[in-house]
Amino acid sequence: MTDVRFSAEGDRYRMTLRGHAGYNPGNDVVCAGVSSIVFSLLGWLANASEHITETRAMRYEPGSVDIDVSGDNTLKTGFDMAVIGLQQIEQGYPENVHVEIV
């Protein structure tokens, strides 16, 4: 199970992911979908540095992601898109992905 936790407070946006989807080890399309969205967000953030005022965490390891940044309202757009994509995966694979917005 991949657990995703997202929060936004003021100009601070945080996302953590823990675990592996476990849909089909060795050929896990659910994990690939989640990873694709997260890599896209990380790449987008790397190119949106002019909108970031502080980076507290931006770390990726297999099965563990921590993103914690502050900045202008442009960041909300990127995070919202990632959350929507992850929620769509959760709808199709609720036993493999859980998204929590706090």
Side-chain angles (χ1 to χ4, degrees), residues 1-92:
M1 168 75 74
T2 299
D3 289 305
V4 180
R5 185 177 176 115
F6 169 76
S7 68
E9 297 173 32
D11 68 346
R12 186 174 182 182
Y13 302 90
R14 290 180 275 191
M15 182 180 285
T16 60
L17 288 86
R18 296 290 184 266
H20 295 279
Y23 177 73
N24 184 14
N27 189 23
D28 196 330
V29 296
V30 177
C31 190
V34 169
S35 294
S36 181
I37 290 170
V38 172
F39 285 138
S40 294
L41 177 61
L42 288 167
W44 183 81
L45 287 169
N47 288 306
S49 59
E50 69 273 13
H51 300 286
I52 297 172
T53 56
E54 183 178 5
T55 300
R56 292 177 188 87
M58 201 170 312
R59 183 183 65 79
Y60 167 82
E61 295 175 10
S64 181
V65 176
D66 292 292
I67 303 170
D68 185 347
V69 295
S70 296
D72 66 31
N73 201 40
T74 302
L75 298 182
K76 181 178 182 332
T77 303
F79 276 92
D80 283 350
M81 190 169 72
V83 168
I84 289 167
L86 293 166
Q87 286 174 323
Q88 289 176 321
I89 293 174
E90 177 187 35
Q91 287 176 0

